[in-house]
Amino acid sequence: MDSPEVTFTLAYVVFAVCFVFTPNEFHSAGLSVQNLLSGWLGSEDAAFVSFHLRRTAATLLCHSLLPLGYYVGMCFAASEKQLYSPSQAPEAWRLFLLLAVTLPSLTCTLIYYWSQDQWARHPLARTLALYALPQSGWQAVASSVNTEFRRIDKFATGAPGARVIVTDTWVMKVTTYRVHVAQQQDVHLTVTESRQHELSPDSNLPVQLLTIHVASASPGVQAFDIRLNSAEYGELCEKLQAPIRSAANVVIHQSLGDLFLETFASLVEINPAYSVPSSQELEACIGCMQTRASVKLVKTCQEAAIGECQQCYCRPMWCLTCMGKWFASRQDPQRPDTWLGSRVPCPTCRARFCILDVCTVR
């Protein structure tokens, strides 16, 4: 396991995966196609369409060279296999070399085909040509896209490999190998899925990701999906001219408060339940007066005389939603990462409690 061959293979696989999917650390170090070839690609702000015509082609070529790079590296890591002399190399390695050479050769052929007629055969140029007027070409549409992208009021979000850009006229999704483009007036947008993640890798907070299907009424324009944080949904709607429909059973949380209430409820369900004495009748929640009281504060996080939490002797007077809203209202909006572990006073007797002390009644 400690041989140079195995060590190089593991290291190269990690490098290849990071080079293709490009995590933030690689972007910061400049190890991406966009950074390495910035001199040839030009500026995205100056010419958005031209930049991505070249970027997608260069990315495809660089990624197709990875198998050949592995073979060259193995010539040094496993010199005993004589890989530098294909005629003497094992048959399996000769087949791998053939594949490693064929892949970039086919890619170069495809890129040459795309670049003919000033990139008119590129998939992005072909999509733009569908929106061109009879007396003009795709370059005129590209000029309109470039102009709108330079405006500061555009909506833009997402990782480098899956960016979502919405301008006054266009809805675009920029991926590693392609740029999807649709005109706003022709699209039908539908929220098809929502996924709840307990912790975001960036902020350590709950996050809801929405999947929106973008289908164009123009024939020939391929439909595509965009993903974004539900907190950005309102800003997206403000930029869009077309309404967004929601599929059945899709609930959208547009604020951090909505996400917190859902997390608060899920944590309370895990806590021990509180049995109400048979002689005690549950009254309406004094917060909303719409539902019966459903929670009781009982110190269960620690022993009675230990810790900051205190025993609350109030009878059940609040529903779960109102108690969650009270808990959220006592938090520092600038420090949402501390909400779940904080302690707040009881809204009635001011005894301090944490989420572990909120028990559902039965």
Side-chain angles (χ1 to χ4, degrees):
M1 289 295 294
D2 296 332
S3 66
E5 179 181 351
V6 175
T7 302
F8 173 76
T9 298
L10 294 176
Y12 195 85
V13 168
V14 172
F15 168 79
V17 170
C18 292
F19 187 70
V20 171
F21 296 101
T22 321
N24 292 332
E25 291 75 12
F26 265 51
H27 272 290
S28 301
L31 297 177
S32 65
V33 175
Q34 184 170 329
N35 290 327
L36 295 174
L37 302 178
S38 59
W40 178 68
L41 295 178
S43 172
E44 183 184 46
D45 293 327
F48 176 84
V49 174
S50 298
F51 173 85
H52 285 287
L53 290 174
R54 293 189 290 266
R55 181 195 63 81
T56 51
T59 301
L60 192 61
L61 178 59
C62 291
H63 291 177
S64 69
L65 290 170
L66 289 174
L68 185 59
Y70 174 70
Y71 185 90
V72 173
M74 287 297 293
C75 290
F76 299 95
S79 56
E80 70 280 359
K81 296 182 182 295
Q82 297 183 324
L83 300 181
Y84 49 82
S85 178
S87 60
Q88 301 179 14
E91 182 178 359
W93 281 102
R94 289 202 299 269
L95 292 175
F96 181 84
L97 176 60
L98 178 62
L99 174 64
V101 173
T102 302
L103 191 60
S105 299
L106 293 176
T107 302
C108 289
T109 303
L110 178 62
I111 294 174
Y112 177 78
Y113 172 77
W114 284 351
S115 64
Q116 296 301 295
D117 300 328
Q118 298 181 336
W119 296 93
R121 299 177 181 178
H122 191 282
L124 175 56
R126 288 186 170 185
T127 302
L128 296 178
L130 297 174
Y131 295 105
L133 298 175
Q135 64 272 22
S136 63
W138 70 271
Q139 293 91 342
V141 183
S143 178
S144 172
V145 174
N146 294 338
T147 300
E148 292 193 13
F149 182 79
R150 285 193 292 266
R151 295 174 183 169
I152 62 175
D153 62 341
K154 64 180 179 292
F155 173 82
T157 186
R163 293 170 61 204
V164 177
I165 302 169
V166 180
T167 66
D168 293 335
T169 309
W170 305 98
V171 179
M172 298 178 284
K173 177 184 178 181
V174 178
T175 65
T176 303
Y177 303 114
R178 187 166 183 179
V179 178
H180 298 273
V181 180
Q183 201 168 40
Q184 280 211 44
Q185 63 182 15
D186 295 332
V187 297
H188 300 283
L189 302 106
T190 306
V191 181
T192 58
E193 184 184 19
S194 65
R195 289 189 177 184
Q196 183 78 18
H197 296 270
E198 293 300 328
L199 293 178
S200 167
D202 298 325
S203 59
N204 292 325
L205 295 173
V207 62
Q208 183 188 37
L209 297 179
L210 303 177
T211 300
I212 302 176
H213 184 69
V214 182
S216 176
S218 299
V221 178
Q222 183 179 354
F224 57 94
D225 292 334
I226 60 178
R227 299 189 70 191
L228 74 157
N229 193 318
S230 62
E232 301 170 314
Y233 181 77
E235 185 180 354
L236 173 67
C237 292
E238 293 178 0
K239 195 61 181 178
L240 289 170
Q241 300 175 11
I244 303 179
R245 298 171 296 178
S246 295
N249 302 322
V250 175
V251 179
I252 302 174
H253 303 301
Q254 298 187 40
S255 68
L256 180 60
D258 293 337
L259 293 173
F260 176 78
L261 288 179
E262 184 169 326
T263 304
F264 181 87
S266 64
L267 294 176
V268 170
E269 290 179 359
I270 305 174
N271 296 340
Y274 173 78
S275 298
V276 180
S278 57
S279 59
Q280 183 176 352
E281 183 178 352
L282 293 177
E283 301 176 353
C285 169
I286 65 175
C288 63
M289 301 299 293
Q290 301 296 319
T291 61
R292 285 183 175 273
S294 60
V295 294
K296 170 75 169 73
L297 299 182
V298 181
K299 184 175 181 180
T300 60
C301 59
Q302 292 175 308
E303 296 294 334
I306 301 176
E308 299 181 25
C309 293
Q310 301 168 323
Q311 180 61 52
C312 172
Y313 297 99
C314 301
R315 69 180 190 276
M317 293 186 293
W318 299 82
C319 68
L320 179 59
T321 300
C322 288
M323 184 61 75
K325 290 180 179 179
W326 165 262
F327 197 97
S329 68
R330 311 301 294 179
Q331 308 303 318
D332 182 359
Q334 304 300 323
R335 294 290 309 278
D337 56 310
T338 64
W339 288 15
L340 295 178
S342 65
R343 293 170 175 81
V344 303
C346 167
T348 306
C349 70
R350 302 304 175 183
R352 297 184 66 81
F353 71 96
C354 63
I355 293 180
L356 298 176
D357 300 329
V358 183
C359 301
T360 56
V361 297
R362 64 182 181 185

